[in-house]
Amino acid sequence: MIASALQAFQDASLRTERDVSLAERTSFRIGGKADLWVTPDSEDGICLAAEICTANEIPFFVIGKGSNLLADDDGFRGCVLSTENCTECRVNGTGVHASAGVSLTGLAVTVCNAGLSGFSFAYGIPGTVGGALLMNAGAYGGETADVVTSVFCYDPVEGTRLTLSREACEFGYRSSVFQKRNLIILGADFRLSPGNPEKIREEMKDYLQRRKDKQPLEYPSAGSVFRRYPGTYTSKLIDEAGLRGFQIGDAQVSEKHAGFIVNRGHATSAEVRQLISVIRDEIKRRFGIDIVCEIRTIPQTEL
Ligand SMILES: Cc1cc2nc3c(=O)[nH]c(=O)nc-3n(C[C@H](O)[C@H](O)[C@H](O)COP(=O)(O)OP(=O)(O)OC[C@H]3O[C@@H](n4cnc5c(N)ncnc54)[C@H](O)[C@@H]3O)c2cc1C
């Protein structure tokens, strides 16, 4: 099946690689190999790649920049469909269309230069538009749901395209309908407000400095591992439980920000999972609180 899919990808001029290290393509720098890695460069190309996988009965997984992902040590038996080259972006008045693979930081700069405000919260979040929509990514009081108007998707089971209104996306804190429905995000329309580029640039600079001050950017990670617990920061609970700096193998609760798990060298996904389990159990024991993971896994499993 892989051989015939490879031929079909080649016939469709879709760039394909074999046996790709997920550690090299995810921000955690953890994970074994994926059998196939395909990189379409358009929204049509994403649909076509998914169609080829379905026709050849090859499991596939859509990835943006891999900045919210823990990849399994055994890798992924199937095809990773990367949106990294699907980067079309059009500004029209206060409206913006961005394809799934557009980087959040790049988009924040583009709209700032166009004199549009409302997207500076995303500056410095190391993901793509697709990942941000699925996660409802946010920071510093802003989130993706605030500015999106429509999301364009592909349903790989039905083989059809559909457009979801903002309401249909069911956005919540770090959640969306895309975490429940098997849809591929192709791109989205955003609505922003006119703003002063100088002021927006200052705001983005401030956010980036806050990230540098608070986050352990010197080590590979997947960002905050747990969702915020209503009324408190999970990182505060982890800290109060005495787990700051706690380490299993090379997976460590960051000394700088207890909400992050960092890879201190050659961490494995098994070590990260063990560490998550210790943190959860300790928070439950001390505070009676069940904390929930924000990061996701490839292949998709419960964390
Ligand atoms: C240092 C650091 C700081 C971070 N700071 C923040 C922050 O301030 N706020 C915040 O919210 N997050 C933060 N994150 C987490 C992460 O950057 C965001 O969740 C981001 O939106 C993920 O985008 P991505 O493209 O990397 O998604 P990926 O990690 O590639 O994927 C995440 C999930 O989305 C799915 N997905 C991706 N693209 C698509 C698509 N086109 N269609 C369907 N499904 C798709 C994947 O299958 C996966 O389940 C941080 C991460 C790091 C490493």
Side-chain angles (χ1 to χ4, degrees), residues 26-28 46 61-69 81 83 100-102 104 121 124-140 144 174 178 183-187 211 215-217 219-224 260 294-297 300:
T26 53
S27 62
F28 231 151
I46 295 178
F61 184 95
V62 183
I63 197 171
K65 287 209 188 288
S67 67
N68 204 39
L69 277 180
L81 213 161
T83 63
V102 171
L104 296 174
F121 72 87
I125 300 181
T128 60
V129 163
L133 287 160
L134 183 128
M135 296 305 302
N136 189 17
Y140 308 114
T144 312
R174 299 295 172 270
F178 308 109
L183 294 174
I184 301 177
I185 298 160
L186 303 172
R211 283 180 185 279
Q215 299 182 354
L217 302 181
Y219 293 112
S221 79
S224 282
F260 280 55
E294 175 178 321
I295 60 172
R296 300 174 65 82
T297 65
Q300 202 174 314

Side-chain angles (χ1 to χ4, degrees), residues 70-81:
L70 175 62
D72 196 273
D73 297 325
D74 290 332
F76 182 63
R77 301 289 68 79
C79 179
V80 176
L81 213 161

Side-chain angles (χ1 to χ4, degrees), residues 48-172:
L48 186 55
E51 258 173 48
I52 292 173
C53 288
T54 305
N56 288 280
E57 295 173 19
I58 293 179
F60 66 89
F61 184 95
V62 183
I63 197 171
K65 287 209 188 288
S67 67
N68 204 39
L69 277 180
L70 175 62
D72 196 273
D73 297 325
D74 290 332
F76 182 63
R77 301 289 68 79
C79 179
V80 176
L81 213 161
S82 163
T83 63
E84 68 192 314
N85 285 352
C86 190
T87 54
E88 191 186 339
C89 183
R90 296 187 304 267
V91 179
N92 185 2
T94 55
V96 179
H97 176 83
S99 292
V102 171
S103 94
L104 296 174
T105 294
L107 185 54
V109 171
T110 300
V111 298
C112 166
N113 291 340
L116 296 176
S117 80
F119 206 70
S120 47
F121 72 87
Y123 187 68
I125 300 181
T128 60
V129 163
L133 287 160
L134 183 128
M135 296 305 302
N136 189 17
Y140 308 114
E143 58 182 19
T144 312
D146 296 341
V147 283
V148 71
T149 52
S150 304
V151 181
F152 307 99
C153 304
Y154 177 71
D155 180 336
V157 176
E158 300 294 330
T160 51
R161 289 191 189 218
L162 61 163
T163 302
L164 267 60
S165 66
R166 181 184 177 283
E167 290 67 34
C169 294
E170 296 174 19
F171 289 116

Side-chain angles (χ1 to χ4, degrees), residues 35-54:
D35 295 331
L36 286 176
W37 181 282
V38 61
T39 321
D41 57 11
S42 66
E43 297 181 15
D44 287 348
I46 295 178
C47 301
L48 186 55
E51 258 173 48
I52 292 173
C53 288
T54 305

